[in-house]
Amino acid sequence: MTNTSVPIDTLIEEYVNEHWNDVLADLETLVAIPSYREDQKAVPEQSAPFGPGPRAALTAILEIAQRMGFNTTDLDGHLGFADYKGAEGASKQIGIIGHVDVVPAGPGWTVEPYALTRKEGYLMGRGVADDKGPVVVALHAMNLWKQLGITLPYDIRFLFGAAEETGMEDVAYYRERYSDPDFLFTPDAEFPVCYGEKGHYDGKIVSPVMNPETRAVTHIEGGTAPNAVPGSAFALVKCENPAALTAADRITVTDLGDGTARIDAAGKCQHASIPEGGINAIGLLVQYLLDNNLCNSEERAFFELEMRLLGCTDGSGFGCNCADADFGALTMVGGMISTDECGRFEQTVDSRFPTSITVDELEERIRCATCKSHASLWRTSVQEPFLMDPSCPEVQTLLNAYNSATGENAQPFTMGGGTYARMFSKAASFGPEKPWIPVPEWVGGMHSPDEGISEESLKEALAIYARVLIGF
């Protein structure tokens, strides 16, 4: 690295002070784009394979990187990247990867989800924490050293994904064309540094076709993403006297006339990797239908199966509960339910599993229960557990940058969330969340209404990322 006589802390502090309004403006640009995936609007031949939102967000972040002077590449709308060239003949490449796609806003917001709101030291809007805010500050950390003319002994490539929330095929598209960086980190998790991620099983439980002549539940729908505890759900039910149905805790009933009632359930959203504290609205709804006998025998069989999934978050309903030393306990969440055109109910399953159970064992235990209820189980996707050696030099470089900036003596950890790190041969996830620091009740988490993050935490993250980029 080119020498500078000014202390690193001073250089970082000066950049943050001078450019924070630029950081906010860049984040405001990205948050304004509702960049959730819409396959029905995808136009691959126009470099929009995931729909107009991810396409617009990818264009925006590449334009920001171009403004900073980085050379950029757009991989047909799947993913883009910005390069910071190191010294002539540099043989090592350090990667950063974040994503500009988001989950849909969903209900329950008190601020506009697709606008950047500043409130009492917090930034709010869909993506400010997951992952547009971290992407912007990490990009500015890279820009800090470029503006100072610093030449590093390695190249840095910042990859911008557009399908992290929906399968990560953007990374597969990239890896078919380019080699992995020698090491990569993603600013899409928690500090200090995560060296491992649980396995991830996605599936779908599908009911038999319900007899249209005898069915009571004509439509059921809930959740906004498979990887989140659902905050809302509703069902349309045929019954003799809808007006006689009474409301319950988190349940409202509306008489629609013609012997039809609409039952609405209000839960509490939570990311599927940390479901504790969430309240599953589909579970509330299904339990109400069962308790009030608002279903025929076929529907009851399926809804009783549903409660084995929705009534807990540790997989014990299917006999899948287990844990290991690195990852802790398995989690399992039913995030979305819908009614298809044939009249079947479809329920998603999201499980984050440790090394103490295999994919086949997990799936077989769920399948055994579904078969007994004459339902079927379909595997959507599987990712095996990902684990790095926490003592390796790269993980220690991240950890040292964090501890040096904060004065802490933090230790690396593992988690249930799935990030881009697991898609590469040598990677880790690295901030900026600090879940142990309390936030006001009106600040929502990732995938939740009123998603928010403190400005100070983003400023600190920028400083930490700046430190680590000159430390490899």
Side-chain angles (χ1 to χ4, degrees):
M1 185 181 81
T2 300
N3 290 326
T4 176
S5 59
V6 181
I8 287 176
D9 287 345
T10 300
L11 294 172
I12 294 172
E13 183 179 0
E14 289 176 350
Y15 183 91
V16 172
N17 290 338
E18 293 174 9
H19 293 274
W20 191 246
N21 285 337
D22 297 331
V23 171
L24 294 178
D26 293 338
L27 182 53
E28 184 174 37
T29 296
L30 289 177
V31 171
I33 302 168
S35 52
Y36 52 87
R37 183 168 179 164
E38 295 179 282
D39 285 338
Q40 70 276 19
K41 297 182 181 179
V43 189
E45 60 272 19
Q46 295 180 17
S47 296
F50 311 122
R55 171 65 269 174
L58 187 58
T59 297
I61 194 64
L62 291 174
E63 288 177 347
I64 291 168
Q66 290 164 5
R67 185 197 71 213
M68 293 174 172
F70 295 111
N71 292 326
T72 64
T73 301
D74 185 340
L75 290 184
D76 307 318
H78 289 80
L79 182 147
F81 57 84
D83 283 327
Y84 181 8
K85 299 298 292 181
E88 187 70 26
S91 60
K92 182 166 72 171
Q93 184 187 72
I94 298 299
I96 312 169
I97 185 168
H99 64 93
V100 293
D101 64 309
V102 295
V103 299
W109 288 75
T110 64
V111 298
E112 169 55 46
Y114 300 115
L116 185 65
T117 297
R118 299 178 78 182
K119 179 180 178 181
E120 299 178 26
Y122 287 83
L123 303 174
M124 302 174 71
R126 178 56 88 220
V128 293
D130 183 25
D131 187 35
K132 294 176 178 180
V135 164
V136 168
V137 295
L139 182 58
H140 272 271
M142 194 164 81
N143 185 51
L144 185 162
W145 302 120
K146 184 178 187 303
Q147 279 202 354
L148 291 172
I150 299 298
T151 302
L152 299 169
Y154 40 79
D155 298 332
I156 300 177
R157 173 165 289 178
F158 202 137
L159 296 91
F160 309 110
E164 192 272 350
E165 299 288 4
T166 56
M168 303 187 192
E169 60 261 56
D170 47 354
V171 168
Y173 197 85
Y174 175 85
R175 296 185 79 207
E176 289 171 358
R177 292 157 177 78
Y178 296 90
S179 300
D180 284 359
D182 293 278
F183 179 74
L184 172 145
F185 72 85
T186 178
D188 186 23
E190 301 168 4
F191 282 135
V193 55
C194 176
Y195 67 93
E197 300 175 1
K198 287 179 180 175
H200 191 180
Y201 176 89
D202 273 330
K204 183 180 290 187
I205 299 173
V206 182
S207 77
V209 176
M210 301 296 176
N211 186 337
E213 301 298 323
T214 61
R215 68 185 306 163
V217 181
T218 59
H219 185 82
I220 190 168
E221 185 176 330
T224 57
N227 59 349
V229 176
S232 63
F234 76 92
L236 301 180
V237 181
K238 290 288 187 181
C239 57
E240 291 185 2
N241 188 7
L245 296 175
T246 58
D249 184 34
R250 294 182 173 270
I251 297 287
T252 58
V253 181
T254 306
D255 184 353
L256 300 181
D258 195 30
T260 300
R262 174 175 170 135
I263 317 295
D264 282 270
K268 181 181 178 183
C269 291
Q270 190 81 1
H271 196 286
S273 66
I274 45 171
E276 302 82 5
I279 300 174
N280 194 306
I282 301 172
L284 295 174
L285 175 64
V286 169
Q287 191 63 61
Y288 183 89
L289 297 176
L290 289 169
D291 290 346
N292 289 275
N293 200 29
L294 296 172
C295 47
N296 64 24
S297 58
E298 287 181 307
E299 294 162 344
R300 175 170 289 277
F302 182 76
F303 291 150
E304 288 176 346
L305 170 66
E306 280 275 271
M307 291 311 300
R308 297 179 68 173
L309 168 66
L310 306 171
C312 57
T313 59
D314 64 355
S316 58
F318 294 132
C320 300
N321 47 313
C322 59
D324 72 6
D326 277 307
F327 290 114
L330 175 148
T331 63
M332 188 177 292
V333 165
M336 296 183 72
I337 192 169
S338 59
T339 309
D340 72 9
E341 64 277 4
C342 297
R344 294 173 296 201
F345 302 138
E346 297 186 350
Q347 171 68 61
T348 65
V349 180
D350 178 305
S351 182
R352 316 297 171 106
F353 60 94
T355 59
S356 51
I357 190 170
T358 68
V359 171
D360 290 342
E361 289 171 336
L362 173 66
E363 188 170 65
E364 179 57 29
R365 293 177 193 181
I366 303 172
R367 191 182 305 280
C368 181
T370 58
C371 288
K372 290 178 180 178
S373 299
H374 306 291
S376 55
L377 175 67
W378 299 88
R379 180 188 295 190
T380 306
S381 67
V382 167
Q383 294 173 333
E384 295 289 347
F386 167 75
L387 199 61
M388 286 274 291
D389 179 357
S391 65
C392 73
E394 293 83 4
V395 170
Q396 289 299 307
T397 295
L398 300 181
L399 184 64
N400 290 338
Y402 174 83
N403 283 335
S404 177
T406 63
E408 298 177 22
N409 186 29
Q411 298 301 313
F413 66 96
T414 64
M415 68 175 184
T419 73
Y420 281 132
R422 71 189 310 132
M423 305 297 289
F424 292 86
S425 52
K426 200 171 187 180
S429 53
F430 187 46
E433 292 284 312
K434 288 186 172 184
W436 60 90
I437 296 179
V439 299
E441 290 186 0
W442 46 264
V443 177
M446 296 183 293
H447 295 200
S448 298
D450 290 341
E451 177 182 345
I453 191 168
S454 78
E455 288 197 49
E456 285 305 313
S457 69
L458 283 182
K459 288 180 179 179
E460 181 182 60
L462 196 161
I464 293 169
Y465 295 142
R467 278 178 173 272
V468 84
L469 289 179
I470 58 171
F472 287 100

